[in-house]
Amino acid sequence: ATISVEVKPTAATLTRDNFLWNVGGTSTSTSGTGSWFVAPRDRIRTAITRTNWRGEQSIGWDRTLTADTWQNVTATIKKNPNGSSTLRLFVDGTQRALRENSTVGLADLTDHTNTVLGGAAYADSLGFAGEFAEARVYGRALEASEILEISQADAASTSNAVLAGLNLGDTTAVTDDITLPSTATWSSSDPAVISSTGAVTRPAAGQPAATATLTAVVAVRGQSAERTFRFTVLPAYGEPDPGGSSEPN
């Protein structure tokens, strides 16, 4: 079997007990019904157990994920001819850990009442704190080349999804600076009108409105996409006269 997820963890996720997903049942400190999971605390790892943490067959990378960054995490398990199982863990399409002699396999998991995305395998632990962009489940252990292709495809789809979610409000009558989401890299066609940081310079009173285009680029593992936003910046209002206001009616 193969489970692949595209995730963006928070910093808190990487320093506390939590899980990207769990297949199987649930466990306590003294008993359990078995699980296969991926956990990112301190170092990213995948483990399978017939019972609880005491029976874990585990493999892990010597580092964990990067906070606030989209990453692909894929785990596979495959039964060997001798009855043991092979566990593999991939991060961003690259194999990071391998165990070829796990004495626990998927067939040992008979309770599936706690098969969850982002949920906890153990009763006293927390679920995943972060974002999911993609989740894939396969009934076989994929080859390394297939996992790399998934990582690249999910990076491309995630960058497009982040772009699609950008909302800058009304761009047709701008009078104030713009808050630009940090999820994208920004450039401006005319920094004298709107800078790449969102600073707006309005034309002088009596001058025509100015226009500029901001381009947003989102890149995930080298897979980038861009989107443009056209802005119209209104001129400054004239000085108020003694009996009225400079603001339009």
Side-chain angles (χ1 to χ4, degrees):
T2 300
I3 299 179
S4 180
V5 292
E6 185 78 18
V7 295
K8 185 168 82 168
T10 65
T13 298
L14 308 179
T15 58
R16 67 186 190 187
D17 287 330
N18 70 107
F19 301 82
L20 302 188
W21 48 261
N22 181 65
V23 172
T26 189
S27 304
T28 67
S29 59
T30 58
S31 64
T33 55
S35 294
W36 176 39
F37 59 79
V38 166
R41 179 182 179 178
D42 298 332
R43 66 186 187 105
I44 186 79
R45 70 188 185 99
T46 186
I48 188 168
T49 174
R50 290 187 183 90
T51 54
N52 62 354
W53 64 272
R54 297 178 186 276
E56 285 183 3
Q57 305 276 296
S58 178
I59 58 169
W61 195 17
D62 61 0
R63 65 192 71 177
T64 191
L65 303 178
T66 302
D68 302 317
T69 300
W70 286 107
Q71 291 140 101
N72 182 271
V73 180
T74 301
T76 73
I77 186 168
K78 182 179 181 180
K79 187 174 182 179
N80 299 323
N82 65 2
S84 66
S85 293
T86 293
L87 292 166
R88 295 181 300 161
L89 179 67
F90 295 75
V91 177
D92 293 342
T94 299
Q95 182 173 298
R96 299 300 187 183
L98 169 70
R99 179 170 183 165
E100 297 179 301
N101 61 349
S102 170
T103 58
V104 184
L106 281 181
D108 295 308
L109 305 182
T110 58
D111 177 5
H112 291 275
T113 57
N114 190 41
T115 294
V116 288
L117 181 66
Y122 297 152
D124 56 352
S125 297
L126 300 172
F128 178 67
E131 298 179 56
F132 286 93
E134 302 282 353
R136 302 169 181 250
V137 180
Y138 299 86
R140 63 183 178 88
L142 299 184
E143 299 297 329
S145 60
E146 295 175 297
I147 293 171
L148 178 59
E149 290 176 0
I150 288 172
S151 176
Q152 293 170 338
D154 286 357
S157 65
T158 299
S159 61
N160 279 290
V162 172
L163 274 180
L166 295 177
N167 182 1
L168 301 184
D170 183 10
T171 65
T172 63
V174 176
T175 58
D176 296 309
D177 291 347
I178 303 162
T179 300
L180 300 177
S182 60
T183 50
T185 300
W186 298 88
S187 61
S188 173
S189 66
D190 192 345
V193 178
I194 304 178
S195 75
S196 60
T197 60
V200 171
T201 303
R202 298 172 67 179
Q207 296 297 310
T211 61
T213 298
L214 291 183
T215 300
V217 176
V218 174
V220 178
R221 298 193 298 282
Q223 304 295 315
S224 62
E226 68 176 49
R227 179 182 173 190
T228 58
F229 298 82
R230 182 176 174 83
F231 292 84
T232 299
V233 178
L234 300 184
Y237 302 123
E239 290 297 322
D241 62 56
S245 169
S246 64
E247 297 295 322
N249 294 325

Short mmCIF file of all heavy atoms in Angstrom, two decimals, residues 34-79:
data_model
loop_
_atom_site.label_atom_id
_atom_site.label_comp_id
_atom_site.label_asym_id
_atom_site.label_seq_id
_atom_site.Cartn_x
_atom_site.Cartn_y
_atom_site.Cartn_z
N GLY A 34 -3.78 -1.65 17.08
CA GLY A 34 -2.89 -1.63 15.93
C GLY A 34 -3.09 -0.45 15.01
O GLY A 34 -4.22 0.00 14.77
N SER A 35 -1.97 0.04 14.43
CA SER A 35 -2.00 1.21 13.56
C SER A 35 -0.81 1.20 12.61
O SER A 35 0.25 0.63 12.91
CB SER A 35 -1.94 2.51 14.37
OG SER A 35 -3.10 2.70 15.16
N TRP A 36 -1.00 1.87 11.48
CA TRP A 36 0.10 2.27 10.59
C TRP A 36 -0.05 3.78 10.42
O TRP A 36 -1.15 4.26 10.11
CB TRP A 36 0.02 1.54 9.26
CG TRP A 36 1.07 1.97 8.25
CD1 TRP A 36 2.38 2.27 8.51
CD2 TRP A 36 0.89 2.12 6.84
NE1 TRP A 36 3.04 2.60 7.35
CE2 TRP A 36 2.14 2.51 6.30
CE3 TRP A 36 -0.20 1.95 5.98
CZ2 TRP A 36 2.32 2.75 4.93
CZ3 TRP A 36 -0.01 2.18 4.62
CH2 TRP A 36 1.23 2.57 4.11
N PHE A 37 1.02 4.54 10.62
CA PHE A 37 0.89 5.99 10.61
C PHE A 37 2.19 6.66 10.19
O PHE A 37 3.24 6.04 10.09
CB PHE A 37 0.47 6.49 12.00
CG PHE A 37 1.44 6.14 13.11
CD1 PHE A 37 2.61 6.87 13.31
CD2 PHE A 37 1.18 5.07 13.96
CE1 PHE A 37 3.50 6.55 14.34
CE2 PHE A 37 2.06 4.74 14.99
CZ PHE A 37 3.22 5.49 15.17
N VAL A 38 2.08 7.98 9.97
CA VAL A 38 3.24 8.85 9.82
C VAL A 38 3.14 9.95 10.87
O VAL A 38 2.08 10.56 11.04
CB VAL A 38 3.32 9.47 8.41
CG1 VAL A 38 4.32 10.63 8.39
CG2 VAL A 38 3.74 8.43 7.39
N ALA A 39 4.24 10.18 11.59
CA ALA A 39 4.29 11.19 12.63
C ALA A 39 5.49 12.11 12.38
O ALA A 39 6.59 11.63 12.10
CB ALA A 39 4.41 10.53 14.01
N PRO A 40 5.29 13.45 12.49
CA PRO A 40 6.38 14.37 12.14
C PRO A 40 7.17 14.95 13.31
O PRO A 40 8.07 15.75 13.09
CB PRO A 40 5.62 15.50 11.44
CG PRO A 40 4.31 15.55 12.16
CD PRO A 40 4.00 14.13 12.57
N ARG A 41 6.86 14.56 14.54
CA ARG A 41 7.55 15.19 15.67
C ARG A 41 9.05 14.90 15.67
O ARG A 41 9.48 13.74 15.59
CB ARG A 41 6.94 14.72 16.99
CG ARG A 41 7.64 15.35 18.19
CD ARG A 41 7.11 14.87 19.51
NE ARG A 41 7.84 15.50 20.61
CZ ARG A 41 7.57 15.30 21.89
NH1 ARG A 41 6.60 14.49 22.25
NH2 ARG A 41 8.29 15.91 22.82
N ASP A 42 9.86 15.96 15.79
CA ASP A 42 11.32 15.88 15.92
C ASP A 42 11.99 15.28 14.68
O ASP A 42 12.93 15.86 14.13
CB ASP A 42 11.73 15.12 17.16
CG ASP A 42 11.24 15.80 18.43
OD1 ASP A 42 11.08 17.03 18.42
OD2 ASP A 42 11.00 15.09 19.43
N ARG A 43 11.53 14.12 14.26
CA ARG A 43 12.01 13.53 13.01
C ARG A 43 10.82 12.84 12.35
O ARG A 43 10.01 12.19 13.02
CB ARG A 43 13.16 12.55 13.23
CG ARG A 43 12.79 11.30 14.00
CD ARG A 43 14.00 10.45 14.30
NE ARG A 43 13.62 9.17 14.88
CZ ARG A 43 13.64 8.01 14.22
NH1 ARG A 43 14.02 7.97 12.96
NH2 ARG A 43 13.29 6.90 14.82
N ILE A 44 10.69 12.97 11.06
CA ILE A 44 9.56 12.38 10.36
C ILE A 44 9.75 10.87 10.32
O ILE A 44 10.83 10.36 10.03
CB ILE A 44 9.44 12.96 8.93
CG1 ILE A 44 8.19 12.47 8.24
CG2 ILE A 44 10.69 12.74 8.11
CD1 ILE A 44 6.94 13.17 8.65
N ARG A 45 8.69 10.12 10.66
CA ARG A 45 8.81 8.67 10.70
C ARG A 45 7.49 8.01 10.33
O ARG A 45 6.42 8.61 10.45
CB ARG A 45 9.25 8.20 12.09
CG ARG A 45 8.19 8.36 13.17
CD ARG A 45 8.75 8.06 14.56
NE ARG A 45 7.71 8.10 15.59
CZ ARG A 45 7.10 7.04 16.10
NH1 ARG A 45 7.42 5.82 15.68
NH2 ARG A 45 6.16 7.17 17.02
N THR A 46 7.57 6.78 9.89
CA THR A 46 6.39 5.94 9.71
C THR A 46 6.57 4.69 10.56
O THR A 46 7.69 4.18 10.71
CB THR A 46 6.14 5.58 8.24
OG1 THR A 46 4.90 4.87 8.12
CG2 THR A 46 7.26 4.73 7.66
N ALA A 47 5.47 4.20 11.13
CA ALA A 47 5.54 3.04 12.00
C ALA A 47 4.27 2.21 11.87
O ALA A 47 3.21 2.74 11.53
CB ALA A 47 5.74 3.46 13.46
N ILE A 48 4.40 0.92 12.14
CA ILE A 48 3.25 0.03 12.18
C ILE A 48 3.36 -0.82 13.43
O ILE A 48 4.46 -1.21 13.85
CB ILE A 48 3.19 -0.85 10.90
CG1 ILE A 48 1.87 -1.63 10.85
CG2 ILE A 48 4.41 -1.75 10.76
CD1 ILE A 48 1.61 -2.28 9.50
N THR A 49 2.22 -1.08 14.06
CA THR A 49 2.20 -1.86 15.30
C THR A 49 0.92 -2.67 15.38
O THR A 49 -0.13 -2.23 14.92
CB THR A 49 2.31 -0.94 16.54
OG1 THR A 49 2.16 -1.72 17.73
CG2 THR A 49 1.26 0.16 16.52
N ARG A 50 1.00 -3.84 15.98
CA ARG A 50 -0.20 -4.66 16.23
C ARG A 50 -0.97 -4.14 17.44
O ARG A 50 -2.17 -4.41 17.57
CB ARG A 50 0.18 -6.11 16.51
CG ARG A 50 0.71 -6.89 15.33
CD ARG A 50 0.87 -8.35 15.72
NE ARG A 50 1.45 -9.14 14.64
CZ ARG A 50 2.75 -9.33 14.47
NH1 ARG A 50 3.60 -8.79 15.33
NH2 ARG A 50 3.20 -10.06 13.47
N THR A 51 -0.26 -3.42 18.32
CA THR A 51 -0.88 -3.02 19.60
C THR A 51 -0.77 -1.51 19.78
O THR A 51 -1.53 -0.74 19.21
CB THR A 51 -0.20 -3.76 20.75
OG1 THR A 51 1.23 -3.54 20.69
CG2 THR A 51 -0.48 -5.25 20.68
N ASN A 52 0.20 -1.09 20.59
CA ASN A 52 0.42 0.34 20.84
C ASN A 52 1.88 0.68 20.59
O ASN A 52 2.57 -0.06 19.88
CB ASN A 52 -0.02 0.71 22.27
CG ASN A 52 0.79 -0.03 23.32
OD1 ASN A 52 1.60 -0.91 23.01
ND2 ASN A 52 0.58 0.31 24.59
N TRP A 53 2.36 1.76 21.21
CA TRP A 53 3.72 2.22 20.91
C TRP A 53 4.79 1.19 21.29
O TRP A 53 5.88 1.18 20.70
CB TRP A 53 3.99 3.53 21.65
CG TRP A 53 3.96 3.44 23.14
CD1 TRP A 53 2.88 3.56 23.96
CD2 TRP A 53 5.08 3.18 23.99
NE1 TRP A 53 3.23 3.40 25.28
CE2 TRP A 53 4.59 3.17 25.33
CE3 TRP A 53 6.43 2.96 23.77
CZ2 TRP A 53 5.42 2.95 26.42
CZ3 TRP A 53 7.26 2.74 24.85
CH2 TRP A 53 6.76 2.73 26.16
N ARG A 54 4.47 0.32 22.23
CA ARG A 54 5.47 -0.67 22.64
C ARG A 54 5.79 -1.67 21.53
O ARG A 54 6.88 -2.27 21.52
CB ARG A 54 4.97 -1.42 23.88
CG ARG A 54 4.79 -0.54 25.11
CD ARG A 54 4.25 -1.32 26.29
NE ARG A 54 3.95 -0.47 27.43
CZ ARG A 54 4.85 -0.08 28.32
NH1 ARG A 54 6.10 -0.50 28.22
NH2 ARG A 54 4.49 0.72 29.33
N GLY A 55 4.85 -1.87 20.60
CA GLY A 55 5.08 -2.84 19.54
C GLY A 55 5.44 -2.24 18.20
O GLY A 55 5.41 -2.93 17.18
N GLU A 56 5.80 -0.97 18.18
CA GLU A 56 6.07 -0.28 16.91
C GLU A 56 7.26 -0.87 16.16
O GLU A 56 8.31 -1.14 16.73
CB GLU A 56 6.33 1.19 17.16
CG GLU A 56 5.11 2.01 17.47
CD GLU A 56 5.43 3.48 17.65
OE1 GLU A 56 6.61 3.87 17.47
OE2 GLU A 56 4.50 4.23 17.98
N GLN A 57 7.07 -1.06 14.87
CA GLN A 57 8.15 -1.31 13.92
C GLN A 57 8.27 0.00 13.13
O GLN A 57 7.37 0.36 12.36
CB GLN A 57 7.81 -2.46 12.99
CG GLN A 57 7.44 -3.75 13.69
CD GLN A 57 8.66 -4.56 14.07
OE1 GLN A 57 9.41 -5.02 13.22
NE2 GLN A 57 8.86 -4.75 15.36
N SER A 58 9.36 0.72 13.33
CA SER A 58 9.43 2.11 12.89
C SER A 58 10.66 2.39 12.04
O SER A 58 11.72 1.76 12.21
CB SER A 58 9.44 3.03 14.11
OG SER A 58 9.55 4.38 13.75
N ILE A 59 10.53 3.32 11.11
CA ILE A 59 11.67 3.87 10.38
C ILE A 59 11.50 5.38 10.33
O ILE A 59 10.38 5.90 10.35
CB ILE A 59 11.79 3.32 8.94
CG1 ILE A 59 10.51 3.60 8.13
CG2 ILE A 59 12.12 1.85 8.94
CD1 ILE A 59 10.66 3.32 6.65
N GLY A 60 12.62 6.10 10.29
CA GLY A 60 12.52 7.55 10.25
C GLY A 60 13.74 8.20 9.63
O GLY A 60 14.82 7.62 9.55
N TRP A 61 13.53 9.42 9.18
CA TRP A 61 14.60 10.28 8.69
C TRP A 61 15.24 10.96 9.89
O TRP A 61 14.60 11.12 10.93
CB TRP A 61 13.98 11.29 7.75
CG TRP A 61 14.94 12.05 6.87
CD1 TRP A 61 16.23 11.72 6.58
CD2 TRP A 61 14.66 13.26 6.15
NE1 TRP A 61 16.79 12.64 5.72
CE2 TRP A 61 15.85 13.61 5.45
CE3 TRP A 61 13.55 14.08 6.05
CZ2 TRP A 61 15.94 14.74 4.64
CZ3 TRP A 61 13.63 15.21 5.25
CH2 TRP A 61 14.81 15.53 4.55
N ASP A 62 16.48 11.43 9.76
CA ASP A 62 17.14 12.05 10.90
C ASP A 62 16.78 13.53 11.04
O ASP A 62 17.43 14.26 11.79
CB ASP A 62 18.65 11.89 10.81
CG ASP A 62 19.24 12.55 9.57
OD1 ASP A 62 18.47 13.13 8.78
OD2 ASP A 62 20.47 12.48 9.40
N ARG A 63 15.77 13.97 10.32
CA ARG A 63 15.28 15.33 10.45
C ARG A 63 13.78 15.33 10.25
O ARG A 63 13.21 14.33 9.83
CB ARG A 63 15.95 16.26 9.44
CG ARG A 63 15.63 15.93 7.99
CD ARG A 63 16.52 16.68 7.04
NE ARG A 63 17.87 16.16 7.08
CZ ARG A 63 18.86 16.60 6.30
NH1 ARG A 63 18.62 17.59 5.46
NH2 ARG A 63 20.05 16.06 6.36
N THR A 64 13.14 16.44 10.51
CA THR A 64 11.70 16.51 10.33
C THR A 64 11.37 17.44 9.18
O THR A 64 12.26 17.85 8.41
CB THR A 64 10.99 16.94 11.62
OG1 THR A 64 9.59 16.75 11.47
CG2 THR A 64 11.29 18.38 11.98
N LEU A 65 10.12 17.79 9.05
CA LEU A 65 9.69 18.67 7.98
C LEU A 65 10.06 20.12 8.28
O LEU A 65 10.51 20.44 9.37
CB LEU A 65 8.18 18.53 7.78
CG LEU A 65 7.67 17.11 7.48
CD1 LEU A 65 6.15 17.11 7.36
CD2 LEU A 65 8.30 16.56 6.22
N THR A 66 9.83 20.98 7.31
CA THR A 66 10.09 22.41 7.46
C THR A 66 8.77 23.12 7.70
O THR A 66 7.82 22.95 6.93
CB THR A 66 10.77 22.98 6.21
OG1 THR A 66 11.99 22.26 5.97
CG2 THR A 66 11.08 24.46 6.39
N ALA A 67 8.71 23.92 8.75
CA ALA A 67 7.47 24.61 9.09
C ALA A 67 7.07 25.59 8.00
O ALA A 67 7.92 26.23 7.36
CB ALA A 67 7.63 25.35 10.42
N ASP A 68 5.76 25.70 7.77
CA ASP A 68 5.18 26.67 6.85
C ASP A 68 5.67 26.52 5.42
O ASP A 68 5.74 27.49 4.66
CB ASP A 68 5.45 28.11 7.35
CG ASP A 68 4.92 28.34 8.75
OD1 ASP A 68 3.79 27.90 9.04
OD2 ASP A 68 5.63 28.95 9.57
N THR A 69 5.99 25.30 5.04
CA THR A 69 6.45 24.98 3.69
C THR A 69 5.71 23.76 3.19
O THR A 69 5.55 22.78 3.92
CB THR A 69 7.97 24.70 3.69
OG1 THR A 69 8.66 25.85 4.17
CG2 THR A 69 8.47 24.36 2.29
N TRP A 70 5.27 23.81 1.93
CA TRP A 70 4.59 22.65 1.35
C TRP A 70 5.59 21.55 1.08
O TRP A 70 6.63 21.77 0.46
CB TRP A 70 3.88 23.04 0.06
CG TRP A 70 2.64 23.86 0.28
CD1 TRP A 70 2.47 25.18 0.04
CD2 TRP A 70 1.38 23.38 0.80
NE1 TRP A 70 1.19 25.57 0.38
CE2 TRP A 70 0.51 24.49 0.85
CE3 TRP A 70 0.93 22.14 1.24
CZ2 TRP A 70 -0.80 24.38 1.33
CZ3 TRP A 70 -0.37 22.04 1.71
CH2 TRP A 70 -1.22 23.15 1.74
N GLN A 71 5.28 20.33 1.56
CA GLN A 71 6.14 19.17 1.36
C GLN A 71 5.29 17.94 1.08
O GLN A 71 4.15 17.83 1.55
CB GLN A 71 7.00 18.92 2.60
CG GLN A 71 8.06 20.00 2.82
CD GLN A 71 8.20 20.36 4.29
OE1 GLN A 71 9.11 19.90 4.95
NE2 GLN A 71 7.29 21.17 4.80
N ASN A 72 5.86 17.02 0.33
CA ASN A 72 5.18 15.77 0.03
C ASN A 72 5.76 14.66 0.90
O ASN A 72 6.99 14.47 0.94
CB ASN A 72 5.34 15.41 -1.45
CG ASN A 72 4.61 14.14 -1.82
OD1 ASN A 72 5.15 13.05 -1.72
ND2 ASN A 72 3.36 14.28 -2.24
N VAL A 73 4.90 13.95 1.60
CA VAL A 73 5.33 12.84 2.45
C VAL A 73 4.61 11.58 1.99
O VAL A 73 3.38 11.54 1.95
CB VAL A 73 5.02 13.11 3.93
CG1 VAL A 73 5.47 11.93 4.79
CG2 VAL A 73 5.69 14.40 4.40
N THR A 74 5.38 10.56 1.65
CA THR A 74 4.81 9.31 1.13
C THR A 74 5.39 8.13 1.90
O THR A 74 6.60 8.06 2.11
CB THR A 74 5.12 9.15 -0.37
OG1 THR A 74 4.59 10.26 -1.09
CG2 THR A 74 4.52 7.86 -0.91
N ALA A 75 4.51 7.23 2.30
CA ALA A 75 4.94 6.00 2.99
C ALA A 75 4.38 4.80 2.23
O ALA A 75 3.26 4.84 1.73
CB ALA A 75 4.45 5.99 4.43
N THR A 76 5.18 3.75 2.16
CA THR A 76 4.73 2.51 1.51
C THR A 76 5.00 1.32 2.43
O THR A 76 5.91 1.36 3.28
CB THR A 76 5.45 2.26 0.17
OG1 THR A 76 6.81 1.87 0.41
CG2 THR A 76 5.43 3.50 -0.71
N ILE A 77 4.19 0.28 2.25
CA ILE A 77 4.43 -0.99 2.94
C ILE A 77 4.13 -2.11 1.96
O ILE A 77 3.15 -2.05 1.20
CB ILE A 77 3.58 -1.11 4.23
CG1 ILE A 77 3.97 -2.37 5.00
CG2 ILE A 77 2.09 -1.06 3.94
CD1 ILE A 77 3.40 -2.41 6.41
N LYS A 78 5.00 -3.11 1.95
CA LYS A 78 4.85 -4.21 1.00
C LYS A 78 5.24 -5.52 1.68
O LYS A 78 6.28 -5.60 2.35
CB LYS A 78 5.75 -3.98 -0.21
CG LYS A 78 5.65 -5.05 -1.28
CD LYS A 78 6.56 -4.74 -2.46
CE LYS A 78 6.46 -5.79 -3.55
NZ LYS A 78 7.35 -5.46 -4.70
N LYS A 79 4.41 -6.54 1.50
CA LYS A 79 4.70 -7.85 2.09
C LYS A 79 5.79 -8.54 1.31
O LYS A 79 5.77 -8.60 0.08
CB LYS A 79 3.44 -8.71 2.13
CG LYS A 79 3.62 -10.02 2.89
CD LYS A 79 2.31 -10.78 3.01
CE LYS A 79 2.47 -12.06 3.82
NZ LYS A 79 1.20 -12.79 3.98
#
